[in-house]
Amino acid sequence: MSGTVVRGSSRPAVSVPTLAAMVVGAMVGGGVFTLPSSFGSKTGVLGALIAWTVAGLGMLMLALVFQSLAVRRPDLDNGIYAYAQAGFGSYAGFSSAWGYWASNVVGNVFFMVFAMASLGQFLPGLGQGNTLLAVVLASVGVWTFHTLIARGVRQAAVVNRIVTVAKLLPILVFIVLTLVAFDAGTFADNFWGGDSADAGSIFDQVTDTMLVTTFVFLGIEGASVYSRLARRREDVGRATVLGFLSTLALFASVTLVSYGVLPQRDLAEAKEPAMGAVLESVVGSWGATLIDVGVIVSVLGAYLAWTLLNAEVMFTPARMAVMPRWLARESRNGSPIAALALTTVSVQAFLLLVLVVDNALDFMLALDTALTLVPYLFAAAYAVKLAVTRTTYEPGEERQRHRQLWIASAAVVYTLYLIYAAGAEYLLLGCLVYAPGTLLFVRARREHGATRVFHPAEAVACLVLCLTAALAVGLLLGGVLRP
């Protein structure tokens, strides 16, 4: 399978740097600018070091899983759903695609609200991104991006590469300037992150940061989603690992240098974007302005990257009879126009909810992360299944098979730990999103003439999902579960 080249398509393929930029562009969004306060409110230096080590190793295992699967199953496009379908059936594939798409819709709303909140530093009428004016301005941005992407996926991908470079500059400036102002005494005072220094306290601190670290790493699968556009299948894996290692270094640096500038209490109470508060303490008000501008460029660039991914993740399953046919419609220039329209309309609808939901940014961040964990778990579990059954492995590849089995198993354990860290509240809310999507699956199966909609195991899974969603509705109505 080595050296597999994408053929059979008139669409121009994209290079490793462009694929890597999709990964970095998706991961470097609004989350990085909240890291000083997100970590400062939960842990100190030691907890942060452990958290980034755990998250780094766990996400590296996922990156290596996507790298391996891209080469071992070059026939599967858009791995975030295709691996679930190949390993566990059509309903698993559908659920993976639907959950991933829904998480990205929620994430895009986060990006737009965060952008408006940053613009609010210059235009007071925007407030914290939840005023009527902010929602109207965000809506204009949503439909502007829709028009750009509708003109061509490749053209939008090139724009994303340029924007990715532009939005990294303020972050690099932040790291350099805070390193110059770094105070070892402040860093030492922030070391333990609490009154207690026992293992149980540190474990709780690290667990509390897991959703934050996962959120900023969402997008690690970006190159896998766009596998059909890669020049070579090996490029997908290379772009994934390259993008991951770059962003890991960036995120860990932003977090740790902040502990050497402000006391942990000040970091925890810093106004978002917290990076602006840290830099302002070093260089004055222009530092906060620089970060505000960086946030605007970054989150709008991330919005572009995620919209590209989201249109693709609905388009490819529709071509494979997992989603309804109409989602496979393309424009004249090859853009997945129907999937793009559904994504844009859904983001617009969630933007309206911002007007009535309290703490919209925190809610969108947590729900986005919880929804994405299921597709990650399916991908890692499929890699385990290939290694256990020896599928795609030649007789002389035993050492490689054992290595991939350990990597995939570690990725499964890490993802299960993230699901535990998410907590019951967001798992229940996630079921409320997954369950209604089943109606689309039923329609797709009937459109394509399937003899039966569900296999026995799928029917059981669907029943459990619907019962859990019903429980979530009851808890919401009873006031026990609150978004």
Short mmCIF file of all heavy atoms in Angstrom, two decimals, residues 122 169-170 172-174 176-178 275-294:
data_model
loop_
_atom_site.label_atom_id
_atom_site.label_comp_id
_atom_site.label_asym_id
_atom_site.label_seq_id
_atom_site.Cartn_x
_atom_site.Cartn_y
_atom_site.Cartn_z
N PHE A 122 -13.52 46.91 20.63
CA PHE A 122 -13.46 48.10 19.79
C PHE A 122 -14.86 48.65 19.51
O PHE A 122 -15.02 49.85 19.28
CB PHE A 122 -12.77 47.76 18.46
CG PHE A 122 -11.47 47.02 18.63
CD1 PHE A 122 -11.39 45.65 18.39
CD2 PHE A 122 -10.32 47.67 19.05
CE1 PHE A 122 -10.20 44.96 18.53
CE2 PHE A 122 -9.12 47.00 19.21
CZ PHE A 122 -9.06 45.63 18.95
N LEU A 169 1.18 34.40 14.03
CA LEU A 169 2.14 35.46 14.37
C LEU A 169 1.88 36.08 15.74
O LEU A 169 2.82 36.21 16.54
CB LEU A 169 2.14 36.53 13.27
CG LEU A 169 2.70 36.09 11.91
CD1 LEU A 169 2.59 37.21 10.89
CD2 LEU A 169 4.16 35.64 12.06
N PRO A 170 0.63 36.50 16.08
CA PRO A 170 0.41 37.08 17.42
C PRO A 170 0.73 36.09 18.54
O PRO A 170 1.19 36.50 19.61
CB PRO A 170 -1.08 37.45 17.41
CG PRO A 170 -1.45 37.54 15.98
CD PRO A 170 -0.61 36.53 15.28
N LEU A 172 3.02 33.68 18.48
CA LEU A 172 4.48 33.59 18.61
C LEU A 172 5.04 34.84 19.27
O LEU A 172 5.97 34.75 20.09
CB LEU A 172 5.10 33.39 17.22
CG LEU A 172 4.75 32.06 16.53
CD1 LEU A 172 5.32 32.04 15.12
CD2 LEU A 172 5.27 30.88 17.33
N VAL A 173 4.49 36.01 18.95
CA VAL A 173 4.91 37.25 19.60
C VAL A 173 4.63 37.17 21.10
O VAL A 173 5.45 37.57 21.93
CB VAL A 173 4.18 38.47 18.98
CG1 VAL A 173 4.41 39.72 19.81
CG2 VAL A 173 4.67 38.70 17.55
N PHE A 174 3.46 36.65 21.46
CA PHE A 174 3.10 36.47 22.88
C PHE A 174 4.13 35.62 23.60
O PHE A 174 4.60 35.97 24.69
CB PHE A 174 1.71 35.84 22.98
CG PHE A 174 1.33 35.40 24.37
CD1 PHE A 174 0.75 36.29 25.25
CD2 PHE A 174 1.57 34.09 24.79
CE1 PHE A 174 0.41 35.90 26.54
CE2 PHE A 174 1.23 33.68 26.07
CZ PHE A 174 0.65 34.59 26.95
N VAL A 176 7.27 34.93 22.83
CA VAL A 176 8.59 35.58 22.92
C VAL A 176 8.60 36.66 24.00
O VAL A 176 9.51 36.72 24.84
CB VAL A 176 8.98 36.18 21.55
CG1 VAL A 176 10.24 37.03 21.68
CG2 VAL A 176 9.22 35.06 20.53
N LEU A 177 7.59 37.54 24.01
CA LEU A 177 7.56 38.65 24.95
C LEU A 177 7.36 38.18 26.39
O LEU A 177 7.95 38.73 27.33
CB LEU A 177 6.46 39.64 24.57
CG LEU A 177 6.68 40.40 23.26
CD1 LEU A 177 5.51 41.34 22.96
CD2 LEU A 177 7.99 41.20 23.31
N THR A 178 6.53 37.15 26.59
CA THR A 178 6.34 36.64 27.95
C THR A 178 7.57 35.89 28.45
O THR A 178 7.85 35.88 29.65
CB THR A 178 5.10 35.74 28.04
OG1 THR A 178 5.13 34.78 26.97
CG2 THR A 178 3.82 36.55 27.95
N MET A 275 -5.03 35.55 27.15
CA MET A 275 -3.69 35.86 26.65
C MET A 275 -3.49 37.37 26.57
O MET A 275 -2.38 37.87 26.78
CB MET A 275 -3.48 35.23 25.27
CG MET A 275 -2.99 33.79 25.32
SD MET A 275 -2.82 33.07 23.66
CE MET A 275 -1.61 34.18 22.93
N GLY A 276 -4.55 38.11 26.27
CA GLY A 276 -4.46 39.56 26.20
C GLY A 276 -4.15 40.16 27.55
O GLY A 276 -3.34 41.10 27.67
N ALA A 277 -4.77 39.64 28.61
CA ALA A 277 -4.53 40.14 29.96
C ALA A 277 -3.09 39.87 30.38
O ALA A 277 -2.44 40.71 31.02
CB ALA A 277 -5.50 39.49 30.94
N VAL A 278 -2.57 38.69 30.03
CA VAL A 278 -1.19 38.36 30.37
C VAL A 278 -0.22 39.28 29.64
O VAL A 278 0.71 39.85 30.24
CB VAL A 278 -0.89 36.88 30.03
CG1 VAL A 278 0.58 36.56 30.27
CG2 VAL A 278 -1.76 35.95 30.85
N LEU A 279 -0.42 39.45 28.35
CA LEU A 279 0.50 40.28 27.57
C LEU A 279 0.39 41.76 27.96
O LEU A 279 1.38 42.49 27.97
CB LEU A 279 0.22 40.12 26.07
CG LEU A 279 1.28 40.70 25.12
CD1 LEU A 279 2.65 40.11 25.42
CD2 LEU A 279 0.90 40.43 23.67
N GLU A 280 -0.82 42.19 28.32
CA GLU A 280 -1.00 43.58 28.76
C GLU A 280 -0.20 43.85 30.03
O GLU A 280 0.35 44.95 30.20
CB GLU A 280 -2.48 43.86 29.02
CG GLU A 280 -2.77 45.31 29.40
CD GLU A 280 -4.25 45.59 29.54
OE1 GLU A 280 -5.02 44.63 29.68
OE2 GLU A 280 -4.63 46.77 29.53
N SER A 281 -0.09 42.87 30.91
CA SER A 281 0.68 43.06 32.14
C SER A 281 2.17 43.18 31.85
O SER A 281 2.93 43.68 32.69
CB SER A 281 0.43 41.89 33.10
OG SER A 281 1.05 40.70 32.63
N VAL A 282 2.58 42.75 30.66
CA VAL A 282 3.99 42.79 30.29
C VAL A 282 4.35 44.05 29.52
O VAL A 282 5.34 44.73 29.81
CB VAL A 282 4.37 41.54 29.47
CG1 VAL A 282 5.81 41.63 28.95
CG2 VAL A 282 4.19 40.28 30.29
N VAL A 283 3.53 44.41 28.52
CA VAL A 283 3.90 45.50 27.60
C VAL A 283 2.91 46.65 27.59
O VAL A 283 3.13 47.65 26.90
CB VAL A 283 4.06 44.96 26.17
CG1 VAL A 283 5.15 43.90 26.10
CG2 VAL A 283 2.74 44.41 25.63
N GLY A 284 1.81 46.53 28.32
CA GLY A 284 0.83 47.60 28.30
C GLY A 284 -0.37 47.28 27.43
O GLY A 284 -0.53 46.16 26.93
N SER A 285 -1.20 48.30 27.21
CA SER A 285 -2.50 48.09 26.55
C SER A 285 -2.39 47.59 25.12
O SER A 285 -3.28 46.90 24.63
CB SER A 285 -3.31 49.39 26.58
OG SER A 285 -2.61 50.42 25.92
N TRP A 286 -1.27 47.95 24.43
CA TRP A 286 -1.18 47.50 23.04
C TRP A 286 -1.06 45.98 22.95
O TRP A 286 -1.42 45.38 21.93
CB TRP A 286 -0.01 48.18 22.32
CG TRP A 286 1.38 47.71 22.72
CD1 TRP A 286 2.21 48.27 23.63
CD2 TRP A 286 2.08 46.56 22.20
NE1 TRP A 286 3.39 47.57 23.72
CE2 TRP A 286 3.34 46.52 22.84
CE3 TRP A 286 1.77 45.58 21.26
CZ2 TRP A 286 4.28 45.53 22.57
CZ3 TRP A 286 2.72 44.59 20.98
CH2 TRP A 286 3.95 44.58 21.64
N GLY A 287 -0.59 45.34 24.03
CA GLY A 287 -0.50 43.89 24.03
C GLY A 287 -1.88 43.25 23.98
O GLY A 287 -2.11 42.27 23.25
N ALA A 288 -2.82 43.82 24.75
CA ALA A 288 -4.19 43.31 24.73
C ALA A 288 -4.82 43.52 23.37
O ALA A 288 -5.55 42.65 22.86
CB ALA A 288 -5.02 44.00 25.82
N THR A 289 -4.53 44.68 22.75
CA THR A 289 -5.07 44.96 21.42
C THR A 289 -4.54 43.97 20.39
O THR A 289 -5.28 43.47 19.54
CB THR A 289 -4.72 46.40 20.99
OG1 THR A 289 -5.26 47.32 21.95
CG2 THR A 289 -5.28 46.71 19.62
N LEU A 290 -3.24 43.68 20.47
CA LEU A 290 -2.63 42.70 19.54
C LEU A 290 -3.32 41.35 19.65
O LEU A 290 -3.64 40.72 18.63
CB LEU A 290 -1.14 42.56 19.83
CG LEU A 290 -0.41 41.47 19.04
CD1 LEU A 290 -0.37 41.82 17.56
CD2 LEU A 290 1.01 41.26 19.57
N ILE A 291 -3.57 40.91 20.88
CA ILE A 291 -4.21 39.60 21.07
C ILE A 291 -5.65 39.64 20.59
O ILE A 291 -6.14 38.66 19.99
CB ILE A 291 -4.13 39.17 22.55
CG1 ILE A 291 -2.67 38.98 22.96
CG2 ILE A 291 -4.92 37.89 22.77
CD1 ILE A 291 -1.91 37.96 22.13
N ASP A 292 -6.36 40.75 20.82
CA ASP A 292 -7.74 40.86 20.32
C ASP A 292 -7.78 40.71 18.80
O ASP A 292 -8.64 40.01 18.26
CB ASP A 292 -8.34 42.21 20.72
CG ASP A 292 -8.75 42.26 22.19
OD1 ASP A 292 -9.11 41.19 22.72
OD2 ASP A 292 -8.71 43.34 22.78
N VAL A 293 -6.84 41.37 18.12
CA VAL A 293 -6.77 41.24 16.66
C VAL A 293 -6.42 39.81 16.28
O VAL A 293 -7.00 39.24 15.34
CB VAL A 293 -5.72 42.22 16.09
CG1 VAL A 293 -5.52 41.98 14.60
CG2 VAL A 293 -6.16 43.67 16.32
N GLY A 294 -5.49 39.21 17.04
CA GLY A 294 -5.11 37.81 16.77
C GLY A 294 -6.28 36.87 16.92
O GLY A 294 -6.46 35.93 16.15
#
